[in-house]
Amino acid sequence: MREGISTREAWPFECLHCMLVWEEEYVVLRTCDELGGDVVVWTRDDVTVEPPWSGMTCPGCGCGTVTTFPTGYLAHHPEFTLGRPALETPAGERPARGAPFASHGLLTLALLLLTGAGLYERLHAH
């Protein structure tokens, strides 16, 4: 493998089971192999790991149903405090307005149902 470019990337996550929000920092090496193909190596704490979108589990409850935010998302959303459930609010603070990812879940469910209904109609129409 040839020399490449290393960058630090912070990826924010949310557990869709316990609603815990946290961030993981990665070092990403982008390079080319001997045949000119792109190679991307993800590391965390000097250990090679899977990319953030693959196989992440919640450090709070161990659930594998985890979603990511766009990079830099948490910096623009102070209602989320890293390491605590997104819907939990300490005494004296105003709660965040609504559950921001509940609407994403409902939209996803609606799209899955519509897609399934369309597939069902196609299979039974022939």
Side-chain angles (χ1 to χ4, degrees), residues 78-92:
E79 68 271 17
F80 293 112
T81 300
L82 297 178
R84 81 165 189 233
L87 300 178
E88 180 183 308
T89 306

Side-chain angles (χ1 to χ4, degrees), residues 4-79:
I5 298 172
S6 289
T7 58
R8 289 192 178 279
E9 293 186 15
W11 279 68
F13 297 94
E14 179 182 29
C15 176
L16 299 177
H17 180 258
C18 72
M19 305 304 285
L20 179 72
V21 175
W22 76 99
E23 193 170 72
E24 298 281 347
E25 187 169 288
Y26 296 86
V27 174
V28 185
L29 172 66
R30 290 176 174 82
T31 187
C32 295
D33 62 16
E34 295 78 27
L35 301 175
D38 292 331
V39 176
V40 180
V41 179
W42 295 81
T43 60
R44 202 170 57 226
D45 300 325
D46 296 323
V47 175
T48 301
V49 295
E50 293 290 321
W53 57 85
S54 173
M56 179 57 72
T57 57
C58 175
C61 71
C63 182
T65 309
V66 172
T67 189
T68 62
F69 297 95
T71 302
Y73 182 87
L74 293 179
H76 301 290
H77 293 274
E79 68 271 17

